[in-house]
């Protein structure tokens, strides 16, 4: 009995962590290139609704996820055009992008409210994925594994490949990179596009895997948590994984406490927990100043203009 | 300019012109660099040197004119194209990435992927061939400026350049580091690489260069053989007028002590900061005290401690006998101590304020520019106009934004803003950084005049010539420690250089400690 509960808690944590991990991986790459895109939540919502719509229209989950990524990229490109081409303020544009995403997703999603689709199934055959104990390892859908693999891939890309080195260089000193002859704007645009694709995918994980349905503001602020997580992880992919699991655990605690009918704490407070944890973690990190500042890309959030 | 007769020029510029909104940066510039030649490009700030080399290196495009490479016209649309031709460039402001290692920084200088082990082998080869001391595994932010410059040089050498452009390479080096650099450059020239050397330090151009082209106001105004020409004559060609020498009245040495710093220590302010360790100095009325040192050895931190931006125990700093260590900048200014930080835009001046508004920032207390809580606009405009006139600041009136001024002009304005307040004590960092020779002489004269009126002045500078001209005594700051003061009359450049820690290894360190010991 208790093993079953532990296993199901672990599984819930890993699953709840997956969309946060996907979105924050994307944002990590964006921030490493020196761009601060606060529009993660908006891109996630656009991905969630477009993915859902595409799956409703075609019946294919693959089509849904691809459409979600495309939608994320498209939204991100609006951001890229405004901030990179026109040198608009990144913070203001990112906030506007989120508001835009909330509105557009609500508009597109109007006809889908209340509809459901078949959810993303576990990757491996039932013999493994439904096994009472082994399912803790084998019982997940492809994106749970994919997100973990992508974490490793991102870490490898940033530290050990030449494009990764160039990306970091652009984030550390855009003027130096430009002086050497790297196309700063193009590299940043590519990073922003990647961030959009990952946010779109994360959004679709909500609408096609977690709760296979559409509702307004389905992602419920998880985009903000993904943003906080990047800082929490000091821009290191490995720590991103730990952080995502931590937030997954807090979110799971909230669900479990509700399910067990905990009355000692008002449900509103339970719902607050993940966000409260975000605030606490960000505060703690910023108190440890040297650590956080030392690892932030030096050009983060600063517009680059060719002089 | 005609090419040297014996060889076809490696690089030839013909009628190069470039305009920016409101400025003609380059106008019909023609000259040629011969193979194996060390060619100097000299001129004041704003003469168009930087623009011209950016055009040669493909960072910017000329509006008109032709570039010929070994006699054939070429287009250089990007730095990549320049490197392909065989042009390498070491920038005045290095294009380095602080949190990355030396080898990563070098890899970023390549246009194509390169095997790490192969790269390490090549770098080791270059380092030993040119006897360049540099550890490829170190992180850049732990390196001295001289070491950083070597990264840039190694980056260039790996491309086997035919022409190496050096933009103001010695402005940040100790004399010993500069000598080491010259050895490397001479060796390169012998091996067939031409060098285009940009500087306004005429002494080193005389020592190093075969030919010099002189720019003024975006035009070529002459060329000469620097080994034959006197530095004075070259300086006059550069500024287009006769050079004024700073007139310095003999000063009575025994003025009263005005600024005293006693055992000032302060922890490093941040990740890349330097801790101040037990600093003591004393400056008398009418005295100019110099603080020499390589950038990043605590100069910034010392200036902040003296200006009041970082505070210390009250009696660590005294002004006319009064303990002011715990006071902030505003209060110190009221008491008569003004300061000019090194960074002009954003620290000494607010870039988006007008010049008149910028006077309020530091002159409000002493000149009463704020009355009953309101800014006395007319007074601020008058004061700004006075500074502009007295220091010949080139600006579109007192309502010009600080950011619209060139670096040198803003520097003149900021220096003027403090000097015209006739403070009892003045702390300045890099008073003539990026200021042309004519204006530098004017600033120097103003400082000397201020001292003659009985003010105590501390000058923190990396320009040794400047300190040797102006100061009565100087001390050297190295890793947050200040050496014992040296009287200018009895000091040699070598001695100061050693104190700066420019020579690597233990010897310099020991010598420095010995210099401290008798104090």
């Amino acid at each position: 009995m208790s093993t079953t509960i532990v296993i199901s808690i672990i599984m819930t944590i890993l699953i709840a962590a997956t969309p946060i991990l996907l979105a924050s991986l994307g944002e990590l790459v964006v921030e490493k290139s020196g761009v601060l895109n606060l529009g993660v939540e908006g891109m996630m919502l656009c991905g969630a609704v477009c993915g859902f719509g595409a799956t409703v229209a075609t019946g294919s989950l693959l089509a849904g996820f691809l459409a979600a990524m495309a939608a994320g990229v498209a939204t991100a490109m609006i951001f890229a055009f405004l901030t990179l081409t026109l040198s608009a303020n990144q913070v203001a544009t990112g906030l506007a992008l989120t508001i835009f995403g909330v509105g557009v997703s609500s508009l597109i999603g109007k006809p889908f409210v209340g509809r459901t689709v078949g959810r993303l199934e576990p990757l491996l055959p039932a013999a493994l994925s439904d096994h009472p104990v082994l399912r803790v390892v084998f019982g997940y859908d492809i994106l749970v594994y994919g997100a973990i693999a992508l974490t490793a891939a991102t870490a490898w890309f940033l530290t050990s490949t030449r494009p990764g080195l160039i990306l970091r260089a652009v984030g550390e000193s855009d003027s130096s990179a430009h002086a050497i002859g790297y196309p700063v704007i193009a590299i940043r645009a590519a990073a922003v596009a990647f961030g959009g694709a990952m946010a779109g995918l994360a959004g679709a994980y909500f609408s096609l895997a977690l709760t296979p349905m559409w509702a307004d503001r389905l992602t419920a602020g998880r985009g903000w948590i993904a943003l906080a997580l990047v800082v929490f992880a000091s821009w290191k992919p490995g720590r991103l994984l730990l952080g995502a699991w931590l937030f997954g655990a807090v979110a799971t605690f909230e669900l479990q406490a509700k399910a067990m009918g905990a009355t000692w704490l008002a449900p509103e407070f339970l719902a607050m927990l993940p966000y409260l944890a975000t605030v606490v973690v960000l505060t703690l990190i910023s108190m440890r100043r040297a650590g956080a500042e030392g690892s932030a890309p030096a050009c983060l959030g600063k517009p680059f203009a060719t002089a | 300019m005609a090419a040297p007769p014996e060889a076809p020029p490696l690089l030839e510029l013909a009628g190069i012109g470039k305009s920016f909104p409101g400025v003609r940066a380059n106008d019909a510039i023609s000259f040629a660099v011969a193979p194996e030649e060390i060619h100097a490009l000299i001129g004041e700030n704003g003469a168009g040197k930087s623009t011209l080399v950016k055009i040669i290196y493909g960072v910017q495009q000329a509006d008109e004119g032709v570039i010929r490479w070994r006699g054939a016209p070429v287009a250089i649309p990007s730095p990549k194209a320049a490197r392909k031709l065989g042009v390498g460039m070491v920038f005045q402001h290095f294009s380095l990435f602080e949190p990355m290692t030396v080898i990563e920084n070098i890899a970023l200088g390549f246009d194509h992927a390169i095997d790490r082990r192969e790269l390490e082998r090549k770098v080791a080869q270059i380092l030993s061939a040119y006897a360049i001391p540099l550890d490829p595994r170190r992180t850049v932010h732990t390196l001295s400026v001289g070491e950083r410059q070597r990264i840039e040089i190694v980056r260039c050498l790996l491309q086997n350049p035919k022409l190496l452009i050096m933009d103001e390479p010695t402005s940040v080096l100790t004399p010993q580091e500069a000598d080491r650099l010259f050895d490397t450059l001479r060796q390169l020239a012998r091996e067939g690489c031409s060098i285009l050397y940009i500087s306004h330090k005429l002494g080193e151009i005389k020592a190093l260069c075969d030919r010099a082209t002189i720019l003024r106001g975006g035009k070529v105004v002459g060329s000469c053989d620097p080994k034959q020409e006197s530095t004075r004559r070259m300086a006059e060609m550069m500024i287009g007028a006769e050079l004024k020498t700073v007139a310095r009245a003999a000063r009575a040495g025994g003025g009263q002590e005005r600024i005293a710093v006693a055992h000032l220590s302060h922890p490093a302010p941040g990740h890349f900061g330097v801790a101040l360790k037990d600093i003591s100095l004393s400056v008398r009325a009418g005295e100019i005290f110099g603080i020499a040192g390589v950038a990043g050895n605590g100069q910034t931190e010392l200036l902040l401690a003296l200006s009041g931006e970082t505070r210390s125990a009250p009696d660590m700093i005294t002004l006319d006998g009064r303990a002011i260590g715990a006071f902030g900048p505003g209060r110190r200014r009221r008491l008569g101590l003004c300061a000019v930080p090194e960074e002009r835009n954003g620290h000494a001046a607010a870039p988006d304020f007008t010049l008149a508004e910028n006077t309020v920032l530091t002159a409000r207390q002493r000149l009463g520019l704020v009355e009953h809580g309101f800014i006395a606009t007319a007074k601020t405009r008058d004061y700004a106009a006075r500074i502009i006139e007295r220091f010949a600041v080139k600006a579109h009136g007192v309502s010009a934004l600080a950011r619209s001024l060139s670096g040198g002009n803003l520097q003149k304005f900021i220096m003027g803003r403090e000097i015209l307040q006739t403070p009892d004590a003045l702390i300045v960092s890099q008073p003539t950084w990026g200021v042309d020779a004519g204006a530098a002489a004017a600033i120097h004269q103003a400082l000397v005049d201020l001292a003659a009126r009985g003010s105590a002045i501390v000058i923190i500078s990396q320009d040794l010539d400047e300190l040797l001209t102006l100061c009565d005594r100087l001390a050297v700051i190295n890793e947050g420690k200040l050496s014992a003061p040296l009287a200018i009359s009895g000091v040699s450049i070598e001695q100061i250089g050693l104190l700066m820690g420019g020579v690597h290894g233990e010897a310099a360190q020991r010598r420095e400690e010995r210099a401290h010991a008798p104090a």
Side-chain angles (χ1 to χ4, degrees):
Chain A
M1 176 63 193
S2 66
T3 349
T4 332
I5 289 181
V6 169
I7 285 178
S8 85
I9 287 178
I10 292 176
M11 290 187 70
T12 321
I13 291 174
L14 257 64
I15 289 166
T18 296
I20 301 176
L21 182 59
L22 287 169
S24 57
L25 271 176
E27 180 67 11
L28 180 116
V29 170
V30 175
E31 291 190 14
K32 271 289 182 188
S33 81
V35 179
L36 181 65
N37 184 355
L38 294 181
V40 178
E41 179 79 2
M43 298 189 295
M44 279 172 74
L45 280 168
C46 287
V49 74
C50 291
F52 189 81
T55 303
V56 167
T58 62
S60 153
L61 279 168
L62 179 65
F65 281 111
L66 289 177
M69 289 169 76
V73 172
T75 334
M77 284 300 101
I78 300 176
F79 178 85
F81 175 71
L82 291 172
T83 59
L84 300 179
T85 314
L86 303 181
S87 293
N89 180 292
Q90 294 180 6
V91 171
T93 310
L95 292 174
L97 193 68
T98 289
I99 299 168
F100 169 79
V102 170
V104 162
S105 62
S106 177
L107 180 72
I108 300 175
K110 200 87 184 155
F112 305 134
V113 173
R115 291 183 65 167
T116 53
V117 292
R119 74 157 67 201
L120 188 60
E121 294 298 330
L123 179 65
L124 298 168
L128 282 169
S129 63
D130 274 351
H131 187 281
V133 178
L134 290 182
R135 71 195 180 103
V136 75
V137 179
F138 299 116
Y140 306 97
D141 57 65
I142 183 167
L143 281 175
V144 174
Y145 300 116
I148 295 170
L150 266 171
T151 309
T154 306
W156 173 79
F157 171 79
L158 287 174
T159 52
S160 308
T161 70
R162 184 173 166 80
L165 180 67
I166 295 171
L167 182 96
R168 281 189 290 138
V170 167
E172 289 299 342
S173 175
D174 45 19
S175 53
S176 295
H178 175 71
I180 296 179
Y182 292 112
V184 173
I185 298 291
I187 290 167
R188 289 189 169 168
V192 169
F194 175 76
M198 295 294 279
L201 192 61
Y205 196 76
F206 280 95
S207 61
L208 298 177
L210 280 179
T211 52
M213 50 169 274
W214 171 253
D216 266 6
R217 304 192 181 214
L218 183 70
T219 53
R222 293 297 196 268
W224 296 107
I225 291 182
L227 273 169
L229 203 56
V230 176
V231 182
F232 167 67
S234 309
W235 294 268
K236 291 188 175 72
R239 294 200 203 166
L240 213 54
L241 189 63
L242 295 178
W245 284 343
L246 174 71
F247 285 106
V250 177
T252 307
F253 172 74
E254 173 205 339
L255 290 178
Q256 291 288 328
K258 265 190 211 159
M260 292 191 296
T263 49
W264 48 274
L265 200 60
E268 288 81 3
F269 277 94
L270 286 172
M272 253 165 56
L273 275 177
Y275 309 97
L276 193 65
T278 310
V279 172
V280 169
V281 161
L282 281 179
T283 314
L284 286 178
I285 292 278
S286 56
M287 280 165 68
R288 212 177 37 121
R289 258 176 61 196
E293 276 179 17
S295 47
C299 286
L300 184 59
K302 291 182 197 150
F304 173 73
T306 340
Chain B
M1 298 299 108
E6 69 273 19
L10 177 72
L11 173 80
E12 191 183 356
L13 303 185
I16 295 290
K18 172 82 179 171
S19 296
F20 295 108
V23 192
R24 183 85 177 138
N26 286 167
D27 189 16
I29 288 185
S30 303
F31 70 90
V33 180
E36 296 177 40
E37 180 183 49
I38 305 185
H39 192 112
L41 194 57
I42 60 182
E44 298 195 292
N45 287 92
K49 293 170 297 183
S50 294
T51 306
L52 186 62
V53 292
K54 279 181 185 161
I55 290 170
I56 299 173
Y57 195 57
V59 179
Q60 277 168 353
Q61 303 306 310
D63 297 335
E64 64 249 17
V66 184
I67 302 174
R68 286 193 200 93
W69 183 256
R70 298 186 202 277
V74 287
I76 307 180
S78 68
K80 208 176 244 192
R83 286 193 291 262
K84 208 163 179 184
L85 278 179
V87 182
M89 175 150 176
V90 176
F91 290 88
Q92 184 180 5
H93 304 286
F94 306 145
S95 42
L96 296 177
F97 307 94
E98 300 239 332
M100 301 187 181
T101 62
V102 171
I103 201 90
E104 282 180 326
N105 268 281
I106 292 174
L108 279 165
F110 275 82
D111 292 325
H112 51 86
I114 177 160
D115 178 64
R116 173 113 187 180
R117 216 158 296 147
E118 164 91 4
L119 181 64
E120 276 169 7
R121 196 181 53 74
K122 279 188 174 169
V123 168
Q125 215 168 28
I126 296 242
L127 291 179
S128 72
Y130 292 92
I132 301 174
L134 187 66
D135 179 357
R137 288 177 304 272
R138 294 266 297 275
T139 312
V140 171
H141 73 76
T142 65
L143 301 180
S144 76
V145 186
E147 289 171 304
R148 290 173 192 215
Q149 185 179 56
R150 290 179 205 141
I151 305 179
E152 290 269 11
I153 294 173
V154 171
R155 247 188 203 169
C156 288
L157 296 188
L158 281 165
Q159 323 264 359
N160 294 319
K162 290 284 153 286
L163 174 69
L164 184 61
I165 305 173
M166 306 282 301
D167 191 2
E168 304 269 356
T170 58
S171 56
V172 291
L173 302 185
T174 63
Q176 282 86 353
E177 282 176 325
D179 283 343
R180 193 188 284 277
L181 172 69
F182 293 164
D183 287 343
T184 308
L185 294 183
R186 287 195 193 99
Q187 185 184 347
L188 266 171
R190 275 198 306 275
E191 290 170 8
C193 175
S194 301
I195 289 158
L196 186 57
Y197 189 91
I198 293 114
S199 183
H200 58 253
K201 293 190 180 172
L202 300 169
E204 43 186 58
I205 283 170
K206 244 178 123 52
L208 183 71
C209 301
D210 307 315
R211 274 197 82 67
T213 297
I214 298 149
L215 295 188
R216 188 172 73 232
K219 294 192 176 99
V220 175
V221 293
S223 77
C224 64
D225 177 350
K227 294 200 164 70
Q228 306 296 323
E229 203 70 66
S230 76
T231 49
R232 192 181 177 86
R233 174 86 195 96
M234 286 194 281
E236 284 171 357
M237 285 210 269
M238 243 165 76
I239 61 176
E242 221 170 285
L243 194 65
K244 286 193 206 110
T245 34
V246 178
R248 194 169 140 194
R251 267 172 255 149
Q256 227 183 347
E257 181 182 80
R258 298 211 92 150
I259 312 170
V261 178
H263 307 293
L264 171 70
S265 295
H266 202 276
H271 223 54
F272 301 132
V274 177
L276 297 177
K277 294 163 201 148
D278 194 30
I279 288 184
S280 296
L281 62 93
S282 147
V283 190
R284 287 196 288 268
E287 188 181 29
I288 302 182
F289 189 91
I291 292 176
V294 180
N297 272 294
Q299 287 95 330
T300 315
E301 290 78 5
L302 180 59
L303 180 105
L304 295 180
L306 292 175
S307 73
E309 284 183 65
T310 54
R311 301 180 197 194
S312 49
D315 48 3
M316 278 182 179
I317 303 171
T318 52
L319 176 68
D320 290 329
R322 183 168 180 174
I324 60 165
F327 297 164
R331 192 140 176 215
R332 290 189 196 191
R333 238 180 261 130
R334 265 199 303 277
L335 292 171
L337 182 143
C338 293
V340 181
E342 177 180 349
E343 179 67 41
R344 315 176 240 248
N345 255 317
H347 195 177
D352 288 313
F353 279 18
T354 65
L355 295 180
E357 286 165 340
N358 266 297
T359 62
V360 181
L361 297 180
T362 70
R364 63 181 183 282
Q365 293 102 335
R366 295 179 63 78
L367 300 179
L369 299 183
V370 175
E371 289 166 345
H372 315 297
F374 291 94
I375 293 171
T377 317
K379 276 191 179 180
T380 64
R381 297 177 69 90
D382 284 351
Y383 186 50
R386 240 173 79 208
I387 300 167
I388 290 173
E389 199 227 302
R390 174 74 173 67
F391 284 84
V393 179
K394 279 180 208 148
H396 297 297
V398 298
S399 306
L401 295 182
R403 74 154 75 248
S404 70
L405 270 64
S406 76
N409 272 304
L410 187 57
Q411 182 70 12
K412 289 195 265 182
F413 184 82
I414 292 161
M415 289 298 300
R417 181 180 67 183
E418 308 306 321
I419 291 173
L420 292 186
Q421 296 183 43
T422 51
D424 299 329
L426 179 66
I427 321 289
V428 291
S429 183
Q430 306 291 0
T432 55
W433 185 274
V435 177
D436 57 53
I443 289 178
H444 288 163
Q445 189 63 55
L447 286 169
V448 168
D449 293 348
L450 183 66
R453 260 175 284 173
S455 302
I457 300 176
V458 176
I459 298 178
I460 303 172
S461 176
Q462 287 163 48
D463 186 343
L464 272 182
D465 292 336
E466 173 172 85
L467 293 175
L468 293 173
T469 326
L470 292 179
C471 300
D472 303 292
R473 290 184 301 149
L474 67 74
V476 179
I477 191 165
N478 185 23
E479 292 178 359
K481 284 180 283 192
L482 195 68
S483 75
L486 307 158
I488 290 292
S489 44
V491 76
S492 70
I493 293 238
E494 284 68 34
Q495 207 178 343
I496 301 171
L498 288 173
L499 286 173
M500 286 164 121
V503 179
H504 284 259
E506 300 289 311
Q509 193 70 32
R510 272 200 306 278
R511 242 171 292 200
E512 192 210 343
E513 277 157 14
R514 243 178 285 146
H516 272 286

